Amino acid sequence: QKEVEQDPGPLSVPEGAIVSLNCTYSNSAFQYFMWYRQYSRKGPELLMYTYSSGNKEDGRFTAQVDKSSKYISLFIRDSQPSDSATYLCASARGGADGLTFGKGTHLIIQP
Amino acid sequence: DTAVSQTPKYLVTQMGNDKSIKCEQNLGHDTMYWYKQDSKKFLKIMFSYNNKELIINETVPNRFSPKSPDKAHLNLHINSLELGDSAVYFCASSQEGSLRGYTFGSGTRLTVV
């Protein structure tokens, strides 16, 4: 079992819909949880950063972490065609040991 | 100003050659990283480095070696390039402890022919 599991999609939704992206993880030592957006041929761009469990909201984006079930979610409200990209969840224990990524979900927002 | 910059953006080279990729960050972070993204877009940590320790992913061949002249730079040197080394290599930086602002560069697309 991979440490961070993520459905690669593609996930296609109409413009304006609420998008729900999810990951599960297996390592109980993970404390830091992030969501990155990656456009084609670009570097990953940090969207949301969460330490431990809880919710975090930033504009149209909401990140949720449930450590009891090892479940990570990203919600996008009022989705736009410009949100079409690959969304990567990532987790880390901390220190300098790097992020463990899911495989990424390819999201398509249809105009 | 680009926060994490890598050069070159593209690199095409023959098997057996030795090459380097450079990375610089101007965020004042104390930890830098190299990641490899394969053809299936899976991102995997290769190295992390701060002024205290170098952590090497055990799956990385010893043909790959990071070199850090100072806190703001972490270069990646690759010896005896193989076809399977073709991938996109990303540099990243963060502040140890909080991992806040974990920022990636735009990547170096390496093609070995």
Side-chain angles (χ1 to χ4, degrees):
Chain A
Q1 180 191 12
K2 292 200 185 302
E3 284 196 292
V4 179
E5 298 271 9
Q6 187 177 8
D7 186 339
L11 175 63
S12 183
V13 301
E15 183 176 355
I18 296 175
V19 175
S20 173
L21 301 168
N22 307 293
C23 290
T24 58
Y25 66 93
S26 58
N27 190 337
S28 299
F30 286 151
Q31 299 185 78
Y32 300 87
F33 305 93
M34 298 165 197
W35 283 95
Y36 284 84
R37 178 175 62 195
Q38 188 175 22
Y39 293 112
S40 182
R41 293 189 170 253
K42 300 287 186 186
E45 172 195 3
L46 181 63
L47 279 178
M48 302 293 282
Y49 163 92
T50 311
Y51 173 69
S52 193
S53 280
N55 292 1
K56 187 168 184 181
E57 188 173 325
D58 184 2
R60 296 185 296 113
F61 299 90
T62 300
Q64 288 184 352
V65 176
D66 182 347
K67 290 189 75 179
S68 62
S69 58
K70 298 190 179 67
Y71 202 78
I72 312 164
S73 301
L74 178 71
F75 299 95
I76 307 174
R77 289 182 298 282
D78 187 25
S79 55
Q80 307 292 313
S82 58
D83 294 329
S84 299
T86 296
Y87 288 79
L88 301 152
C89 62
S91 304
R93 294 179 298 181
D97 60 352
L99 300 178
T100 300
F101 280 89
K103 287 197 167 184
T105 298
H106 182 46
L107 175 66
I108 302 166
I109 307 297
Q110 302 162 337
Chain B
D1 265 354
T2 305
V4 180
S5 58
Q6 299 177 225
T7 54
K9 207 171 172 65
Y10 300 96
L11 184 54
V12 181
T13 188
Q14 290 189 325
M15 279 174 55
N17 283 352
D18 301 339
K19 289 292 177 186
S20 291
I21 307 172
K22 295 186 176 182
C23 179
E24 176 182 3
Q25 56 96 4
N26 62 8
L27 297 167
H29 287 161
D30 60 7
T31 306
M32 296 184 71
Y33 312 82
W34 279 104
Y35 286 81
K36 179 180 179 180
Q37 189 169 46
D38 61 24
S39 57
K40 295 181 180 175
K41 309 295 184 190
F42 187 50
L43 257 176
K44 197 166 182 183
I45 182 75
M46 298 177 71
F47 302 102
S48 58
Y49 185 82
N50 62 22
N51 58 2
K52 298 173 208 163
E53 62 180 336
L54 169 67
I55 300 175
I56 302 171
N57 184 315
E58 60 191 15
T59 65
V60 175
N62 58 14
R63 298 181 294 103
F64 290 78
S65 56
K67 296 186 194 306
S68 179
D70 56 59
K71 231 173 80 163
H73 296 84
L74 183 66
N75 303 325
L76 181 64
H77 191 74
I78 316 169
N79 289 328
S80 304
L81 277 155
E82 300 178 357
L83 292 176
D85 297 332
S86 296
V88 182
Y89 293 85
F90 287 99
C91 178
S93 72
S94 76
Q95 195 62 25
E96 188 188 2
S98 72
L99 303 186
R100 199 171 287 279
Y102 205 117
T103 304
F104 282 79
S106 56
T108 296
R109 186 171 294 272
L110 172 66
T111 303
V112 182
V113 297

